Amino acid sequence: SHIFFNSSTRSSLQLIVSPNFIVSKSRIKSYTMKKKINKEIVNHSHMVQVNNKSNNFSNLVGVYTLVIREKRRFTTIWTQTLLAPIVTSGLFILIFSFVFMDRGQGSEVNENYSQFLAPGILMMVTLQNAFANTSSSILVSKVNGNIVDTLMPPLTAIELTVGFMSGGILRGLFVASGVLIVIFPSVGLIPSNIFLIFIFILLGSMTFSLMGILVGIYCNKFDQMSAVNNFLITPLSFLS
């Protein structure tokens, strides 16, 4: 051994065959196992904290800020988000009225049909705008790459959902208020129970806002959202 190995190699071989090395190796294994167990315990406690945090609803300031941001998204371009649905509703009633007049229907039937059509148009534009607000907000953020600005603040999943949903509900209420103020008096329709109208508008806007959140999370391109809008949302809103 003195011939074939130098001094450093001989010392390494002596360390390997010595009982002290076997003890130190077992200690290393024990230390590694303890470190792995401690890491698993820390990961488990972190997951428990994350799960508990995801079920909390305590950051009211953050939720309010998110709602204000969503509100400013459609109020800054009010001609597109608020005025356009009112004009669309008026065109619907006007076109159907002309169709009935061309068919030779009487004025009383024409007036009754316009009054019958107005509540359906009210719900149609309300549901479409509530869906468009949440789905476009999430999808545009994903496409532009600034979705991290929404995910980084200390907001839980419930708080983010409530914030986006509230923005969609506000847009639905704004559009519905415009149609009620402009379109309903023009056809001679006066609501007899404004409270029930508010409940229906609120529930419909809430449902389609949540659907918009799901579609915004699922879709990665505008083509996908257009397909969902054309084949699912538009038929549902037309059949409202």
Side-chain angles (χ1 to χ4, degrees):
S1 62
H2 292 281
I3 297 175
F4 295 101
F5 302 104
N6 55 22
S7 59
S8 61
T9 306
R10 286 198 302 271
S11 62
S12 300
L13 292 174
Q14 291 175 1
L15 178 62
I16 292 174
V17 299
S18 65
N20 293 329
F21 177 76
I22 298 174
V23 174
S24 62
K25 189 175 181 181
S26 63
R27 288 178 180 177
I28 291 174
K29 287 183 177 180
S30 176
Y31 174 75
T32 305
M33 185 175 296
K34 289 180 180 179
K35 187 176 180 181
K36 185 177 180 181
I37 293 173
N38 292 333
K39 186 176 180 180
E40 291 179 355
I41 293 174
V42 171
N43 291 335
H44 177 71
S45 61
H46 177 69
M47 290 299 297
V48 171
Q49 292 177 359
V50 170
N51 292 331
N52 292 333
K53 181 183 176 182
S54 63
N55 296 325
N56 289 335
F57 189 81
S58 57
N59 192 356
L60 298 180
V61 177
V63 175
Y64 174 76
T65 305
L66 181 59
V67 173
I68 294 300
R69 190 198 75 172
E70 291 299 306
K71 182 181 75 69
R72 288 180 179 175
R73 282 189 67 251
F74 65 86
T75 53
T76 52
I77 50 174
W78 61 272
T79 55
Q80 176 184 350
T81 58
L82 299 178
L83 183 61
I86 298 175
V87 175
T88 303
S89 302
L91 289 175
F92 264 104
I93 294 179
L94 186 64
I95 290 171
F96 278 102
S97 299
F98 275 117
V99 168
F100 269 79
M101 289 175 62
D102 292 339
R103 288 184 178 183
Q105 299 290 342
S107 59
E108 182 179 355
V109 177
N110 185 26
E111 182 181 355
N112 292 336
Y113 186 77
S114 299
Q115 293 179 359
F116 167 78
L117 192 64
I121 292 177
L122 168 67
M123 288 304 299
M124 181 188 71
V125 296
T126 301
L127 300 180
Q128 288 179 347
N129 281 271
F131 172 82
N133 192 77
T134 53
S135 60
S136 63
S137 177
I138 297 175
L139 184 59
V140 168
S141 298
K142 290 169 63 176
V143 172
N144 292 337
N146 58 2
I147 189 66
V148 67
D149 297 334
T150 304
L151 299 178
M152 283 298 292
L155 293 170
T156 63
I158 297 177
E159 292 168 346
L160 287 172
T161 303
V162 171
F164 281 111
M165 182 186 68
S166 301
I169 292 174
L170 284 177
R171 181 168 170 179
L173 290 175
F174 270 76
V175 173
S177 301
V179 174
L180 283 171
I181 294 173
V182 177
I183 303 300
F184 274 43
S186 64
V187 297
L189 186 62
I190 305 300
S192 59
N193 194 333
I194 195 67
F195 178 74
L196 286 179
I197 294 178
F198 174 77
I199 293 298
F200 275 102
I201 291 174
L202 182 64
L203 293 178
S205 300
M206 184 184 302
T207 303
F208 274 73
S209 296
L210 293 174
M211 291 177 63
I213 293 174
L214 292 177
V215 172
I217 295 173
Y218 171 76
C219 296
N220 295 319
K221 298 183 295 183
F222 287 102
D223 296 339
Q224 296 174 343
M225 190 179 72
S226 298
V228 175
N229 195 12
N230 292 331
F231 295 108
L232 180 64
I233 302 303
T234 300
L236 288 178
S237 60
F238 268 78
L239 297 174
S240 62

